[in-house]
């Protein structure tokens, strides 16, 4: 065990190279090339002498000029990989131990075959130097070595290495390994150095969609995409991955989730009821020129404000009485606001109606009209039509001639006759009522002929 300190110093001092640098994208690697064996480290009596002629290949190294080693390794995580190396060589230069201060002697021990099988645990330092091309590493392990038929022993190994990656998957690798053989088990197997140089190929990564992004890192492994989107496509090229793009086939800004806003009104076309004309958000992107809250395309009067109930047009006032037709119970006749757009019946109008009513003449004892009365009745019809929202009561009165009962019946029938004529000439029946009072409400004396004539009358009353 006295040489363990030599192994530690060797690991610190060696400047060698490795071919074990792979990652989770391509977890497997295979390396092959040439190797060289140098026994001088075993012949040195001082630690500093072990590496004094490290690169004296011509004098000390045993090289087989052909492919003489193969390494297969697998990445296991956290920059570590584990591999197996198999190598062959032929020992023709064997350095004998130095005597005192004398020179080292190199002899041929009989052209012996060299075989080695080694397990290698490699740690890549590539992340520390933040390089994508240069990959330094350190490795440790152990194995078994044979020289000829009589020398064989296990070794404890350690070393340093470097790979230069031409591409992501192909690199040039070199490695130097210090192989320490313990005296009590080695059967004169010398501690020695073994150097390797060759090509390394990484493989094992899966890229289903062929976009150069491995499936394990590809957010869209079945569809070719872009690296900046973790392997997902951006069909419309608007900088938003299709999977996050509400309009993947049409370019649009981020604020609209990738959808366009053709009219620039701040509403994405897909949500804009009028995508080609700038409009209001409250109207789903459609314009409202007159500001009445109704979109122009639905507004029958887009340049004039109007209520929704009238399709955006202002309510008309046909009779000009300042009462809108929708509220005007007499839309074709000017009236007053107080009377819902209908004209109000004045005292003057009522006097005129009653002046006409006083001239209504009936056949004696009957409810039929005398011929000269018809123009009077027509005049009353014309007046009533001017007030279509007013209701009237027609009252019949008689003088005292005859019995009370007969006079009552006569007054009722005459009042009804007037009502019937008015209805027949266009006055709504529900606006009129008729009543008879017989001789009960005289306005003059029944003792004179003139007084009786005054009591025989028809009166018109306004129903309020």
């Amino acid at each position: 065990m006295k040489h363990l300190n030599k192994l530690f110093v060797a690991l610190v001092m060696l400047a060698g190279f490795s071919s074990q640098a792979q990652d989770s994208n391509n977890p497997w690697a295979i390396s092959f090339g040439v190797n060289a064996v140098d026994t001088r480290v075993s012949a040195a009596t001082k630690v500093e002498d072990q590496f004094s002629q490290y690169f004296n290949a011509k004098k000390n190294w045993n090289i087989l000029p052909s492919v003489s080693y193969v390494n297969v390794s697998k990445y296991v995580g956290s920059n570590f990989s584990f591999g197996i190396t198999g190598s062959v060589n032929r020992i023709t230069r064997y350095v004998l131990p130095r005597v005192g201060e004398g020179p080292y002697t190199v002899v041929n021990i009989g052209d012996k075959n060299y075989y080695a099988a080694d397990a290698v645990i490699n740690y890549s330092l590539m992340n520390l130097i933040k390089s994508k091309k240069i990959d330094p590493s350190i490795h440790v392990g152990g194995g078994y070595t044979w020289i000829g038929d009589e020398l064989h022993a296990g070794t404890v190994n350690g070393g340093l290495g470097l790979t230069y990656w031409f591409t992501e998957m192909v690199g040039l690798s070199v490695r130097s390994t210090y192989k320490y053989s313990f005296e009590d088990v080695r059967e004169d197997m010398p501690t020695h150095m073994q150097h390797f140089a060759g090509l390394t190929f990484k493989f094992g990564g899966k890229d289903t969609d062929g976009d150069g992004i491995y499936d394990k890192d590809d957010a869209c492994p079945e569809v070719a995409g872009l690296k900046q989107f973790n392997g997902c496509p951006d069909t419309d090229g608007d900088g938003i991955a299709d999977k996050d793009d509400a309009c993947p086939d049409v370019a649009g800004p981020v604020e609209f989730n990738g959808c366009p806003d053709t009219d620039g009104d701040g509403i994405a076309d897909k949500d804009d009821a009028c995508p080609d004309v700038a409009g209001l958000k409250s109207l789903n992107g459609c314009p409202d020129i007159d500001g009445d809250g109704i979109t122009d395309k639905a507004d029958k009067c887009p340049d004039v404000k109007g209520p929704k109930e009238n399709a955006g047009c202002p309510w008309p006032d046909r009779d000009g009485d300042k009462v809108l037709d929708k509220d005007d119970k007499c839309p074709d006749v000017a009236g007053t606001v107080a009377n819902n757009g209908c004209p109000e019946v004045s005292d003057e109008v009522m006097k005129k109606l009653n002046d006409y009513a006083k001239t209504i003449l009936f056949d004696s004892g009957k409810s039929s009209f005398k011929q000269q009365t018809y123009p009077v009745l027509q005049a009353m019809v014309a007046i009533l039509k001017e007030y279509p929202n007013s209701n009237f009561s027609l009252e019949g009165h008689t003088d005292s001639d005859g019995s009370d009962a007969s006079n009552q019946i006569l007054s009722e029938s005459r009042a009804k006759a007037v009502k019937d004529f008015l209805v027949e000439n266009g006055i709504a029946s529900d606006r009129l009522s008729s009543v008879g009072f017989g001789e009960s409400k005289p306005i003059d004396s029944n003792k004179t002929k003139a007084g009786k004539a005054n009591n025989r009358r028809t009166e018109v009353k306004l129903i309020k």
Side-chain angles (χ1 to χ4, degrees):
M1 299 297 176
K2 63 182 180 180
H3 295 299
L4 283 177
N5 62 325
K6 298 179 182 179
L7 175 61
F8 176 76
V9 173
L11 291 176
V12 175
M13 295 178 62
L14 281 174
F17 304 93
S18 174
S19 62
Q20 311 303 317
Q22 65 257 40
D23 53 33
S24 57
N25 288 329
N26 287 284
W28 288 96
I30 183 169
S31 304
F32 55 87
V34 298
N35 79 92
V37 176
D38 182 2
T39 62
R40 186 175 182 283
V41 295
S42 181
T45 57
K46 298 179 181 180
V47 172
E48 59 268 25
D49 289 341
Q50 292 185 348
F51 305 104
S52 62
Q53 297 187 37
Y54 181 83
F55 292 107
N56 196 345
K58 183 176 180 180
K59 184 176 181 180
N60 301 326
W61 288 13
N62 298 275
I63 301 175
L64 192 63
S66 64
V67 174
S68 56
Y69 86 92
V70 175
N71 172 272
V72 178
S73 61
K74 186 177 188 300
Y75 181 78
V76 294
S78 301
N79 300 321
F80 282 99
S81 59
F82 175 80
I84 299 294
T85 301
S87 60
V88 297
N89 210 315
R90 187 173 295 278
I91 305 301
T92 59
R93 296 183 178 92
Y94 189 88
V95 182
L96 295 176
R98 187 178 185 185
V99 179
E101 296 298 325
Y104 293 99
T105 303
V106 180
V107 299
N108 187 329
I109 59 173
D111 200 15
K112 295 182 180 295
N113 291 327
Y114 175 97
Y115 303 98
D118 300 290
V120 182
I121 298 174
N122 189 80
Y123 182 76
S124 173
L125 303 173
M126 192 174 188
N127 290 342
L128 295 180
I129 66 172
K130 298 181 180 179
S131 172
K132 295 183 179 181
K133 294 287 187 180
I134 300 173
D135 185 9
S137 61
I138 184 170
H139 61 273
V140 296
Y144 208 86
T145 301
W146 296 262
I147 297 178
D149 296 328
E150 60 280 348
L151 299 179
H152 54 88
T155 61
V156 175
N157 308 332
L160 301 173
L162 184 72
T163 299
Y164 180 83
W165 295 104
F166 300 114
T167 68
E168 183 184 2
M169 300 173 66
V170 180
L172 173 64
S173 302
V174 285
R175 178 181 70 178
S176 285
T177 301
Y178 184 92
K179 307 181 78 171
Y180 181 81
S181 174
F182 295 99
E183 291 180 346
D184 53 352
V185 297
R186 68 185 182 180
E187 300 180 13
D188 295 324
M189 170 65 68
T191 293
H192 59 281
M193 292 289 295
Q194 189 172 17
H195 312 291
F196 303 87
L199 294 175
T200 296
F201 299 88
K202 293 192 290 186
F203 63 96
K206 186 178 182 182
D207 179 14
T208 301
D209 54 21
D211 59 4
I213 302 168
Y214 297 105
D215 287 1
K216 75 178 191 62
D217 300 320
D218 198 329
C220 302
E222 304 294 333
V223 183
L226 305 174
K227 188 173 183 179
Q228 61 265 39
F229 299 126
N230 294 327
C232 288
D234 176 19
T235 302
D236 54 20
D238 58 5
I240 302 170
D242 288 358
K243 67 184 183 66
D244 301 319
D245 196 330
C247 301
D249 298 315
V250 185
V254 174
E255 57 266 33
F256 298 129
N257 291 325
C259 290
D261 176 19
T262 302
D263 53 22
D265 59 4
I267 303 169
D269 288 358
K270 71 181 185 66
D271 302 318
D272 197 329
C274 302
D276 298 315
V277 184
L280 306 174
K281 190 172 184 179
S282 58
L283 298 177
N284 293 326
C286 288
D288 175 19
I289 294 175
D290 57 18
D292 59 6
I294 304 170
T295 63
D296 290 353
K297 68 178 184 178
D299 196 333
K300 290 186 177 179
C301 301
D303 299 316
V304 184
K305 286 186 177 181
K308 186 176 182 180
E309 294 76 13
N310 199 39
C313 292
W315 291 107
D317 178 17
R318 294 197 300 270
D319 55 19
D321 59 4
K322 298 184 179 180
V323 179
L324 300 178
D325 288 359
K326 71 181 184 68
D327 302 317
D328 197 333
K329 292 185 177 180
C330 303
D332 297 310
V333 180
T336 64
V337 175
N339 200 36
N340 297 319
C342 291
E344 295 190 54
V345 181
S346 65
D347 292 340
E348 181 181 353
V349 170
M350 290 305 300
K351 181 179 181 305
K352 190 174 183 178
L353 279 173
N354 280 294
D355 287 344
Y356 280 126
K358 288 178 183 178
T359 63
I360 295 174
L361 299 176
F362 294 94
D363 293 327
S364 180
K366 298 180 181 180
S367 59
S368 56
F369 301 111
K370 289 187 176 182
Q371 192 64 36
Q372 62 267 37
T373 293
Y374 287 106
V376 173
L377 292 172
Q378 290 292 351
M380 292 179 66
V381 168
I383 293 173
L384 293 180
K385 285 184 177 181
E386 293 179 9
Y387 303 93
N389 199 43
S390 298
N391 298 327
F392 300 90
S393 174
L394 303 172
E395 299 179 354
H397 299 271
T398 65
D399 58 23
S400 59
D401 291 348
S403 66
D404 289 347
S406 61
N407 285 335
Q408 179 65 34
I409 293 172
L410 181 61
S411 66
E412 291 177 356
S413 63
R414 285 180 172 178
K416 185 177 183 301
V418 174
K419 175 187 175 183
D420 290 345
F421 181 90
L422 296 176
V423 170
E424 289 172 1
N425 285 270
I427 306 302
S429 62
D430 59 355
R431 293 179 55 204
L432 303 174
S433 62
S434 63
V435 62
F437 292 100
E439 59 184 83
S440 64
K441 292 185 176 183
I443 58 173
D444 204 346
S445 172
N446 281 309
K447 293 181 179 180
T448 65
K449 185 176 181 179
K452 288 182 180 180
N454 288 334
N455 287 335
R456 295 192 300 273
R457 68 193 187 278
T458 300
E459 293 183 350
V460 182
K461 298 291 180 67
L462 178 66
I463 300 175
K464 297 184 178 179

